[in-house]
Every structure is written in structure tokens, then in C-alpha cells.
Amino acid sequence: MVTGGRGTVVAMAAWSTLNAAGVTLFLLLVLLRVSQAQTFFFPFRQPETCGHNQYFDISALSCVACGPNQRQDARGTVCVCLPGFQMISNNGGPDIICKKCPENMKGVTGDGWNCISCPGGLTAEGKCHCPTGHILVERDVNGTLLSQATCKLCEESENSFTIANALGNRCVQCEPTFINTSRSCVCSEPNILTGGLCFSSTGNFPPRMISAARYGDLGMSFTSEWFAEYLQSSAAACWVYANLTSCQALGNMCVMNMNSYDSTTFDACRLFQFIFENTAGLGTVHSVSFWRQNLPWLFYGDQLGLAPQVLSTTPLPTNFSFKGENQNTKLKFVAASYDVRGNFLKWQTLEGGVLQLCPDTETRLNAAYSFGTTYQQNCEIPISKILTDFPMPTFYDVYLEYTDENQHQYIWAVPVLNLNLQHNKIFVNQDSSSGKWLLTRRMFLVDALSGRENDLGSQPRLIRVATQISLSIRLVPNTKNGNIYPPLITVAYSDIDIKDPNSKSVKISFSVTYEMDQGEAHVQTDIALGVLGGLAVLLSLLKTAGWKRRIGSPMIDLQTVMKFLVYYAGDLANVFFIITVGTGLYWLIFFKAQKSVSVLLPMPAQEERFVTYVGCAFALKALQFLHKLISQITIDIFFIDWERPKGKVLKAVEGEGGVRSATVPVSIWRTYFVANEWNEIQTVRKINPLFQVLTVLFLLEVVGFKNLALMDSSSSLSRSPPSYIAPYSRILRYAVSTALWLVIGIIQIVFFAVFYERFIEDKIRQFVDLCCMSNISVFLLSHRCFGYYIHGRSVHGHADTNMEEMNMNLKREAENLCSQRGLIPNTDGQTFQIAISSQMRQQYDRIHETLTRKNGPARLLSSSGSTFEQSIKAYHTMNKFLGSFIDHVHKEMDYFIKDKLLLERILGMEFMEPMEKSIFYNDESYSFSSVLYYGNEATLLIYDLMFFCVVDLACQNFILASFLTYLQQEIFRFIRNTVGQKNLASKTLVDQRFLI
């Protein structure tokens, strides 16, 4: 029983499992079949593709057949009864029932629900037809359907003056101009019918000379259907009846024709001008002489010199400030908008992109009206979108709203400079002189109406688009309270030929610029340039005089002139650098930190002079840098080895089979070691170039200092992504870059001098110590008769020794148990500036000729042996000669030691000329570093900075500028080391293979 029960349970469980699996498999197959049966595509149909007896089902998006005795309506989305059939029921779509009318009542009422007998013929739709001037009557006064329709003639006599309306179902009063002109509802000759209005042919208005031409910038003019239809009627209604909307419509047509005026034809603007001149008796609006009663204000007049008066005579009575309690940074522009027929639409603020065709977020669009923010917006819009968004033009009269001291609100008219305006076929507004400009008032964005020929319902032949709109704001000179002159809107229109609107697009730009008079700034810059340039000339003359004395040449020759020009280039580069840095920091500080606005940034066109100065500074500084680089790699240098042989050794004699005694040779490894150390310190700098570049780049790009260069009033280092990012000012980019570069460089130099050299490593002083420990002096000539001397003679007599003796010597020196290292006994002075006599230099050159292998064997050397052996002999000769010179052996070429005068140190030149004796000047400042990178850090720092700024000004990219700056640093460093090694090897006979 137990076993059987257990088996039954197992069998039931197995059956349940199989049953569940089967159900699951069945559901999966059903789902798979359903998914395979579903489709998600169907034919694409449009209403116009449906047949005559079909309608377009707006739910199924397909064509569906209408019922019997039915056809589609005009829109094609519902079915209607055929002519001669009345509706019995209508629930929309195909749910409509039609019944044929009886033979004696073949007509159908206007609503389609009843059959009726017609007095005359039938229309194509099966309705009753009445003659012209009659109306169709189908029901009596209380709405009862008549058995037969009647046609009633509208009474056109003087008692009624009625005529049938457009639908032919009601009598309405005739247009008033018909009644006033002809005392009837007919405008018969000689009266003139135009635009649906009737005018008398008498009077002084010239209607038959009106031109409906519409001018374009594509070199074509054609008859505009809108002008042909409404220009004459609008002008006549404005002139005869002073109709306000007609006057506005006439003004709109003048604006559509670019406010152009031609005295030879009566176009829209000539008609407007005619009415303006002949309605002087009506008076003006708001005391504005250019604004006639009943007329729109379109022009400021055509007198020469009027535009500068309007733009620069009267400041706006309001103040703008960036910070403080009275902060005011909002330009409140409002516009009175009109439609093309002259109807006033509304007052509206320009915020939200009213004048900006380019789409963007509301925040970025509204940033255009933040005072002090230079705004630039560019985009490309398809023509099809423009045609869809702007089927009819809208016209704007722009004003600036402000509040006076008494908190009263006023508006100030903003003038428009239309660059397409022609005055007697001359584009006067494209002239560089503002005295010839003709300012206007009204503007539009898109005109897709006046470019239509023959039919107003057809696609336009041309459309006119405001492709460039610029709002310029000028600061009042010498203002301290942020006063501005009236803003100016400059607009340029482009005519676009419409052939394939879906494949064409147009480029649009909208900008807001701020400017101030830069005349005073230019004068101050010129004064500074003149004064500092004159000082640079004097300084260059002093440098040239010092150079002439150092080369021992009193004559002024071409080389002297070239040297002066090179010195002047370096000093003039510093002048341009000082001026540009000062100018940049002035604009950065005074623009960003001001409360009440007193200065505005120079416009991009006004920055060209500044950019030119920066370019001059870089070019001249590059010339100075190359001059210093060439001077450093062409110096004369020799390492004097004071070490003497220690006794004699037995040496085998080749070819003789014997031995003989010889002096112990002095090791050359000390000289090689000192030469290597000299080679290493040639490009040592007081700053780390890589750290300099990376730190400046980090501060600019990551911390956000580059945001200080934006042309807006904000001093924040960060900008939120949704906000508008103003364009960069080149002056501010230069100012921020130079400030950061100089600050980081100066910090590095101070850290290097105060901390690093004192507590970690001072490579210049270590080199001097190394020379003393190696018992080697350095004799260096940077000029023909001027150079430097590092006294490295060991106070212990020799340096080629073992470790124990070396440590003993150092201990004795530390405990002052030996003499001091100085050239003069009991002194520590080891570095000197030297001015050698001409006799000393001549002797040096005679020995050096063989050493450098430029000529044949020197007179002092044996003519036997190879060239290498002669160079070896010349090396020992030079070593012996310089050593004896230092030891005062040559009385005819002796020297004396003195201190430099303070004025000599300041001017960098020597007053005393070495005639018979050379002069050694004590030099505690290690000025021999002037032939190294180390002593020219200021030149290198400024050159790198100028290179960085020039690349950035050209590319507007701090990252690229940083990369190229570091790259050129490494290239010149490589050149300096490579060429310096070759020069060192050739001057000192050190094998270049041992120089690392």
C-alpha cells in the first residue's frame, strides 16, 4: 500500500509537470504565430490621391469609397450628395443617406437638406442660380421653406445703396467710396476703380503714373501683384480720406520696397512722400517733425548730416550699471506691430526672439538684451520653413522703454539703417560716412507677399529675408553713469529666388554690439609708445656703445648699425609688450569691475590695432631671442687644467725595445666631467616650462579663468550650460593669458630663488664648486675682448686623488685649515667679468687657430706630425698660456682686479678700456650665466608668453597654443644643446662623444 501510494503520487506529479509544459509550449506557439501575423506598415495615401467617389478616412489614413449617389466634398475628408440629391441623414464620413429630388423640384437648398423649385437655371452643385445683383431667397421671414425659390434684386437707388454680398444671399450697403464718388453702387468712368474702392478722376493726385514695380537685389524688378492690387487704392484712401489703416498699408508697401525713393517714378515711397509733403497742415505727432498726423513714421528726413545728429546728439535719460544697488542691465525694447493691411496688432517686447529668426532657448534669446553682453547668433534656415512660418509679413516700429528719475515710463524711437535703401538709385546707407545715411523706422523680417506675380495665392517668385540684423549701442564719451546714445538697428535684406524651396536654405545672423569712442585711448597709447620708444632708442645706443667697447672696435661700420638694430628690436619688443599688457589689463579690470558703466570693450574691428602691436612684440622678441641664442652657441670657451703630473714612470719606447722614464700623464676625465656639467647647465631655467604651460592651461580651461575673456559684464569663472556664452574678446584673452603666465612665472622664479636654490639644488653655484674640486678654471669670451672667468684652482694643489685624500681635503677646507678659494689670496671671489686687452686677444687667437683646426699649423707649434697631434700641442699650449696669464707671468699682458662702479652695473657697460692691461671685475652675481638660458629667463619667459598669445589670438584655442608653445620650447632646447655641444667640442678639444 505504501509503495503503491508513493507511485501514484509520483505519477500525478509527472502528469502535472507535462501538462504545465504543454500549456506553456502552446502559449509560446500562439504568441509566435500572432507576432508573425502582425505587420506594422501600410500604403501611404494623401487626400488628393483619393478618387472622385472616395473620401479620406482621417482615422485609418486611407481612401474609403463613398455610398451610392455620393461624392467627396471640396476638402476630400467627407462625402456629400451628388447634384440633384437631398440629404436624408448625415452622421459624417460615409454615414450619409441621399435621396433623388422629384422632377418638379430639381434644385437643392443651400444647406442640402431639401429639394426646391428654382426660378432659373442650376449651378454645377445643383443649387439655384440668380442673375448678378440679385439674391436667392429660399425661406420666408420665419424660416418656412418656400415651394419655389425667388431671386430678389437689391435696391441700388439713393434711398438704399445696397448690393448683393459675395455669397449672393443678402443685400448689403455699397462700399462708402462708391456712394461718395458716384452716388451709386457702380464705379463708372471717368471714376477709377482700384483695390475695391472708387475714386474720382479729378484732383491733384496722379493715379495713372503709379509704378507697381518691386525692386530686388538680384538685379531684377517685376510687377508685384500685391502692389498692383492695393498700392493705388491705399494711397488714394490715405490721401483723400486720411484712412489710418490705408496710410499704414501704404507705409508697409514702402517698407517692403526697402524705403527706396526715386524721383522719376511714383512708386510706394514716392507716393508716401507726396502725401507727407502735402499734409503739413495736419500737424505732427508727439512734436516729431518727421511724424505726420495720420501717417506712420517711416523716415528721419533726407538732409545731409542728419543721421549723426540723431545718433550722437541727445543721450537717453537713463543710466546703466553692472553692479550695486542701482543695477540696471536690461535693455527693454518694445515694438508696435502691424499686419500688411495696416491693422495694429499689439505692443510686444522683443524678448522671446521677436526679431531673431534663428531658433534657440528663451534664455539664450533674451541674453541679446542684457546690457554689456556682446551677442552673436548665426544659423541656416530652410526656405521651406520660412515660407511656412511667415506666409504674411509683420512690421515693427521698435522703441526703447526707460524710466526717468521720477519713475515715469517713456519710450524712445530706435532708428533703423536699411542697407538696401536706394535714394535715386544710390545705396546711400552703404557709404562709410554716416553723414550720407538716411535713417528709417519700420522694419520686417520676412516678405513672402510682394514677390508674388499675377496671383496672390500662388508661390512667390522671390522672398525677401532680413539675413543680417545688428543692434549697436554707443556709450556717451566721458560718462560716469552709464549713459548711452539712441541704439541703431542695422538690417540687410536678401532676395532669394524660389525655385525649389525644399533644397535651399538661407544664412541668418543677429548680433548686438557695444562701442565707445576709442580716440582718447589711441592718443594715450601713441604717447606711451612715443615716450617708451624714445627710451628704447637711448637704451639701445648704450648697449651698442657697450658692445663696441667689448669687441675693441672704435669704428662705426655696417656691423655696428646692424647690432644697434638688433638691440633696438629687443627693447622695442619690450615696449610693445608693456603697452599691450597694460592695455589688456586696463580693459579687463575696468570693464569687469565697474559698477556704473563708464567703459565698453573695443569692437573686433577696433582690436586690430592692438593685435598689430601684439604681432610686432612677438616678431621683435623672436628676433631678440634668436640673437641671444646665436650669441650663446658661438662663444669662445676653454677649460684651464691646473693639475700637474705626479712624478715619473717607466714607459716602453716603440721601435727601440727599451724603456725610459716619463712624466705621469694628467687625467683628462676631470675636464670631460666639467665639460659635461657645463653642457647640462646650458639650458637650465629658473622655471619649469612644462609646469608653466600645464598650470596656465589648467587655470584657463578647468578653473575657468577663460570666462573672464567673454564679452559680457559677468566676473564669474563659471557659466551654466543653458546660458548664452558671449564671444571672446581678443584683448581680454590676451590680458587673462599674460596675467596668468606672468604670475605663475614670477611665482616659480621666486620659489626657485628663495627656496629651491637655497635648500635643494643650485646648479650654477654647484658648477663653480665642481670647478674648484676638479682643479679646473673656465675661461669664457662672449665678445672679442670681454668675457667671464671662473677660478677653479684647487686650494689643495691637486684634485686627481683617491677618495680618502679627497675627503681629507674637504674636511680641512670646512675647518678653515687651508687657504680660501678666491683668485686673490684670502678671498672667496671665484667669478669675474673680464675685459682683456687687444694684445691678449691676439695671442689667444694665434693659439686658437690650430686648436680649432681652421688653418694650418700655427707658428708656435712644430710642423711635424699629424693634425691631431698638432691640436693636442695647441691645447697644451693654450692651457699653459692661460694658466700663466692668470698667474701674472706675462707682464706685457698682465691684468688687475677691481670692483665695478654702481653706474657700470646699472648700464651694463665698462667705462675703463683695457689698453695695456686686462681688467678683472669682481662678480659675485655669477653673471657668466648670461651666456646660458639661466641668465636670460626674462627674455625666454616673455618670448614663450608672446608665442602662446599669438597662437591663441590666431586660433582662439588655449589647448593648441599650449601644445605648440611647449613643442617650440623643446625644439629650441634641442637646437641649443646640439649646437652648443659642437661648439664646446670645437673650442675645448673635448670629444663630442663624451658630452651627454
Side-chain angles (χ1 to χ4, degrees):
M1 290 294 293
V2 176
T3 304
R6 185 176 299 173
T8 302
V9 172
V10 172
M12 292 178 64
W15 174 255
S16 299
T17 303
L18 291 174
N19 193 21
V23 172
T24 303
L25 180 59
F26 174 76
L27 292 176
L28 287 175
L29 290 174
V30 170
L31 290 175
L32 180 61
R33 187 176 185 86
V34 169
S35 63
Q36 289 176 346
Q38 288 182 343
T39 58
F40 300 97
F41 59 90
F42 45 86
F44 174 57
R45 303 299 297 269
Q46 294 183 349
E48 56 268 21
T49 62
C50 295
H52 181 71
N53 59 345
Q54 294 179 319
Y55 78 100
F56 184 76
D57 189 333
I58 60 174
S59 176
L61 301 178
S62 60
C63 295
V64 180
C66 292
N69 305 320
Q70 300 174 18
R71 62 179 175 86
Q72 65 175 206
D73 70 341
R75 293 185 58 197
T77 56
V78 294
C79 295
V80 295
C81 293
L82 291 173
F85 289 81
Q86 68 177 115
M87 286 189 298
I88 301 300
S89 67
N90 184 0
N91 295 322
D95 192 6
I96 181 174
I97 301 175
C98 299
K99 176 182 178 183
K100 185 176 178 60
C101 291
E103 291 295 330
N104 62 339
M105 303 177 69
K106 292 185 177 181
V108 181
T109 58
D111 55 15
W113 286 96
N114 300 101
C115 296
I116 194 169
S117 177
C118 296
L122 298 176
T123 64
E125 291 80 16
K127 314 292 183 184
C128 296
H129 174 70
C130 288
T132 304
H134 293 69
I135 62 172
L136 178 67
V137 179
E138 298 176 334
R139 300 178 184 273
D140 61 11
V141 178
N142 61 5
T144 303
L145 181 68
L146 301 178
S147 59
Q148 182 176 2
T150 61
C151 292
K152 297 289 186 179
L153 177 65
C154 293
E155 181 61 46
E156 298 183 8
S157 64
E158 188 172 351
N159 294 329
S160 300
F161 289 129
T162 60
I163 193 173
N165 64 357
L167 298 177
N169 59 4
R170 182 182 178 189
C171 291
V172 295
Q173 188 178 24
C174 301
E175 212 285 326
T177 58
F178 284 72
I179 301 173
N180 296 334
T181 303
S182 63
R183 303 301 299 172
S184 69
C185 291
V186 180
C187 187
S188 58
E189 293 184 355
N191 299 321
I192 300 172
L193 176 63
T194 175
L197 304 179
C198 185
F199 299 96
S200 173
S201 60
T202 61
N204 58 355
F205 193 77
R208 300 192 183 279
M209 296 177 58
I210 290 178
S211 171
R214 185 238 195 230
Y215 304 102
D217 60 358
L218 297 178
M220 64 176 71
S221 64
F222 58 90
T223 300
S224 167
E225 181 64 20
W226 180 262
F227 287 179
E229 184 75 21
Y230 295 107
L231 175 57
Q232 189 177 21
S233 60
S234 298
C238 179
W239 165 245
V240 177
Y241 303 110
N243 183 275
L244 295 181
T245 54
S246 297
C247 292
Q248 295 291 339
L250 175 62
N252 291 341
M253 283 183 267
C254 177
V255 175
M256 284 193 284
N257 221 8
M258 299 291 93
N259 295 92
S260 297
Y261 175 87
D262 191 349
S263 59
T264 61
T265 59
F266 268 90
D267 55 12
C269 292
R270 178 73 188 282
L271 289 172
F272 181 87
Q273 193 68 21
F274 173 85
I275 298 174
F276 181 87
E277 293 172 354
N278 289 276
T279 54
L282 297 179
T284 60
V285 179
H286 300 302
S287 301
V288 179
S289 60
F290 316 114
W291 196 349
R292 187 76 74 240
Q293 192 75 34
N294 300 328
L295 295 177
W297 180 9
L298 297 187
F299 298 93
Y300 278 86
D302 56 358
Q303 298 89 351
L304 290 177
L306 182 60
Q309 296 180 22
V310 173
L311 298 175
S312 305
T313 300
T314 306
L316 264 68
T318 187
N319 303 328
F320 290 93
S321 58
F322 290 156
K323 300 176 179 67
E325 297 179 356
N326 299 322
Q327 181 179 0
N328 181 18
T329 59
K330 203 65 179 176
L331 291 166
K332 301 177 182 178
F333 286 101
V334 294
S337 55
Y338 300 82
D339 67 9
V340 69
R341 298 183 181 274
N343 298 304
F344 176 79
L345 299 178
K346 60 180 176 179
W347 280 103
Q348 59 185 129
T349 176
L350 294 190
E351 291 186 344
V354 173
L355 296 184
Q356 296 154 269
L357 290 174
C358 295
D360 209 333
T361 63
E362 186 174 355
T363 302
R364 293 174 181 170
L365 290 173
N366 294 342
Y369 308 109
S370 177
F371 186 82
T373 299
T374 299
Y375 189 87
Q376 185 68 48
Q377 186 187 41
N378 299 281
C379 67
E380 192 167 350
I381 304 178
I383 298 299
S384 58
K385 177 175 173 54
I386 292 180
L387 290 174
T388 302
D389 295 344
F390 299 93
M392 302 292 284
T394 302
F395 299 85
Y396 304 97
D397 292 343
V398 182
Y399 299 86
L400 179 61
E401 181 184 351
Y402 67 93
T403 305
D404 67 357
E405 297 178 352
N406 298 322
Q407 302 302 313
H408 294 156
Q409 288 187 330
Y410 295 91
I411 55 175
W412 192 289
V414 178
V416 175
L417 182 68
N418 187 344
L419 298 181
N420 299 73
L421 183 149
Q422 298 182 56
H423 186 74
N424 292 324
K425 299 182 180 180
I426 299 176
F427 291 96
V428 293
N429 287 346
Q430 297 181 15
D431 197 285
S432 58
S433 173
S434 61
K436 298 181 180 179
W437 291 351
L438 295 180
L439 301 178
T440 58
R441 282 282 298 123
R442 185 163 291 186
M443 62 178 295
F444 64 90
L445 297 183
V446 178
D447 174 18
L449 179 64
S450 65
R452 297 178 181 179
E453 289 184 302
N454 305 323
D455 185 9
L456 292 177
S458 63
Q459 181 173 281
R461 177 180 176 183
L462 297 174
I463 66 170
R464 179 167 282 158
V465 182
T467 52
Q468 297 179 15
I469 298 179
S470 176
L471 176 62
S472 58
I473 298 170
R474 291 187 60 216
L475 192 68
V476 175
N478 302 318
T479 181
K480 302 298 182 184
N481 300 317
N483 299 114
I484 63 172
Y485 287 122
L488 174 66
I489 298 177
T490 303
V491 57
Y493 293 93
S494 297
D495 279 355
I496 302 168
D497 192 1
I498 301 299
K499 291 182 179 178
D500 186 6
N502 294 321
S503 63
K504 281 189 175 182
S505 60
V506 60
K507 294 182 179 179
I508 306 294
S509 70
F510 180 88
S511 62
V512 181
T513 59
Y514 296 82
E515 59 179 309
M516 62 176 291
D517 185 12
Q518 300 290 331
E520 184 178 354
H522 289 164
V523 170
Q524 294 175 352
T525 302
D526 292 340
I527 293 174
L529 184 61
V531 173
L532 295 178
L535 294 177
V537 171
L538 296 178
L539 184 59
S540 301
L541 288 173
L542 288 175
K543 290 181 178 179
T544 306
W547 173 79
K548 289 293 291 183
R549 176 153 294 187
R550 289 180 174 183
I551 66 171
S553 172
M555 296 181 60
I556 298 178
D557 50 10
L558 181 61
Q559 184 184 12
T560 304
V561 175
M562 296 301 297
K563 203 70 174 181
F564 167 76
L565 293 178
V566 172
Y567 283 134
Y568 184 59
D571 294 331
L572 193 59
N574 294 332
V575 170
F576 279 117
F577 177 73
I578 293 172
I579 290 177
T580 53
V581 171
T583 302
L585 291 179
Y586 168 82
W587 289 113
L588 177 63
I589 296 173
F590 283 88
F591 176 73
K592 291 290 185 177
Q594 63 185 334
K595 293 184 178 179
S596 295
V597 180
S598 58
V599 296
L600 291 174
L601 291 174
M603 299 175 63
Q606 296 172 328
E607 293 179 332
E608 296 301 327
R609 188 173 183 177
F610 177 85
V611 173
T612 301
Y613 286 170
V614 173
C616 291
F618 169 70
L620 296 174
K621 183 58 68 172
L623 180 61
Q624 181 190 25
F625 169 70
L626 291 176
H627 172 251
K628 286 184 175 292
L629 185 65
I630 294 173
S631 299
Q632 290 182 7
I633 61 180
T634 56
I635 61 173
D636 289 314
I637 185 171
F638 190 84
F639 298 113
I640 307 173
D641 192 352
W642 298 100
E643 197 75 11
R644 295 294 177 259
K646 296 182 179 179
K648 294 184 179 181
V649 295
L650 296 178
K651 182 179 180 181
V653 181
E654 295 183 6
E656 298 181 2
V659 295
R660 65 175 182 178
S661 62
T663 57
V664 178
V666 176
S667 173
I668 195 64
W669 286 106
R670 290 174 297 101
T671 304
Y672 281 0
F673 185 64
V674 172
N676 257 309
E677 290 301 315
W678 174 263
N679 185 58
E680 287 183 7
I681 67 172
Q682 286 190 94
T683 54
V684 170
R685 295 184 58 175
K686 298 179 181 179
I687 67 170
N688 186 315
L690 181 59
F691 176 82
Q692 176 80 14
V693 170
L694 293 180
T695 303
V696 171
L697 182 61
F698 174 80
L699 293 175
L700 288 171
E701 293 289 343
V702 180
V703 178
F705 275 91
K706 69 175 183 179
N707 291 322
L708 293 177
L710 296 175
M711 298 179 72
D712 57 25
S713 60
S714 175
S715 302
S716 174
L717 298 182
S718 61
R719 295 290 191 275
S720 60
S723 64
Y724 170 75
I725 305 300
Y728 286 100
S729 165
R730 289 182 291 183
I731 291 181
L732 295 188
R733 285 181 75 97
Y734 178 82
V736 173
S737 301
T738 53
L740 291 178
W741 194 281
L742 291 176
V743 167
I744 299 302
I746 292 173
I747 290 176
Q748 282 203 80
I749 292 173
V750 171
F751 172 80
F752 188 81
V754 174
F755 179 79
Y756 188 84
E757 287 188 330
R758 287 191 178 187
F759 302 104
I760 300 178
E761 184 181 28
D762 186 349
K763 291 189 176 182
I764 302 301
R765 287 173 173 78
Q766 285 179 355
F767 178 76
V768 176
D769 292 338
L770 176 65
C771 290
C772 189
M773 295 301 298
S774 303
N775 202 18
I776 291 177
S777 297
V778 181
F779 189 84
L780 190 152
L781 293 178
S782 58
H783 300 73
R784 181 178 179 275
C785 296
F786 181 83
Y788 306 92
Y789 173 67
I790 302 175
H791 186 62
R793 194 168 190 173
S794 176
V795 295
H796 309 289
H798 58 274
D800 196 359
T801 182
N802 56 35
M803 182 182 296
E804 182 180 358
E805 188 174 353
M806 177 69 72
N807 290 332
M808 185 63 67
N809 291 338
L810 292 175
K811 184 177 181 182
R812 291 180 58 205
E813 191 171 354
E815 296 175 354
N816 291 326
L817 299 179
C818 58
S819 60
Q820 294 176 296
R821 295 180 176 182
L823 177 61
I824 304 176
N826 299 321
T827 64
D828 290 325
Q830 294 180 260
T831 55
F832 301 87
Q833 296 181 17
I834 59 175
I836 62 175
S837 62
S838 296
Q839 185 179 4
M840 167 63 184
R841 178 67 197 202
Q842 292 172 3
Q843 182 65 19
Y844 177 88
D845 289 340
R846 281 194 294 267
I847 302 174
H848 198 262
E849 285 179 0
T850 304
L851 181 62
T852 56
R853 307 174 189 177
K854 292 181 180 178
N855 300 317
R859 180 177 57 84
L860 300 178
L861 300 176
S862 171
S863 58
S864 62
S866 65
T867 303
F868 179 74
E869 293 176 348
Q870 293 172 357
S871 298
I872 294 295
K873 292 180 179 179
Y875 168 78
H876 290 296
T877 303
M878 178 67 78
N879 192 74
K880 183 177 181 181
F881 167 71
L882 292 179
S884 60
F885 170 74
I886 298 298
D887 286 339
H888 301 277
V889 173
H890 306 282
K891 299 302 180 183
E892 72 281 4
M893 293 181 291
D894 204 359
Y895 67 93
F896 63 93
I897 301 174
K898 67 183 299 289
D899 290 326
K900 260 192 172 184
L901 300 176
L902 177 62
L903 189 58
E904 287 180 315
R905 296 176 183 271
I906 294 175
L907 297 179
M909 61 182 299
E910 296 75 35
F911 296 157
M912 185 180 296
E913 187 173 357
M915 300 299 293
E916 297 180 356
K917 291 186 177 182
S918 301
I919 306 173
F920 278 44
Y921 295 98
N922 289 313
D923 180 23
E924 298 178 356
S925 59
Y926 297 90
S927 58
F928 69 88
S929 61
S930 62
V931 299
L932 308 171
Y933 268 15
Y934 183 91
N936 296 276
E937 188 57 57
T939 301
L940 295 173
L941 184 68
I942 296 176
Y943 169 74
D944 291 341
L945 168 57
M946 296 308 300
F947 186 92
F948 178 89
C949 291
V950 166
V951 174
D952 176 66
L953 291 179
C955 305
Q956 298 281 294
N957 191 319
F958 287 124
I959 298 177
L960 179 61
S962 300
F963 172 75
L964 293 181
T965 300
Y966 181 71
L967 181 63
Q968 65 86 23
Q969 288 175 344
E970 291 300 306
I971 290 175
F972 280 113
R973 182 172 175 270
F974 175 78
I975 294 174
R976 175 68 176 84
N977 283 331
T978 303
V979 181
Q981 284 182 8
K982 292 182 179 180
N983 178 69
L984 183 62
S986 64
K987 299 294 185 180
T988 62
L989 204 65
V990 174
D991 195 325
Q992 190 175 351
R993 291 175 296 178
F994 293 98
L995 297 178
I996 302 174

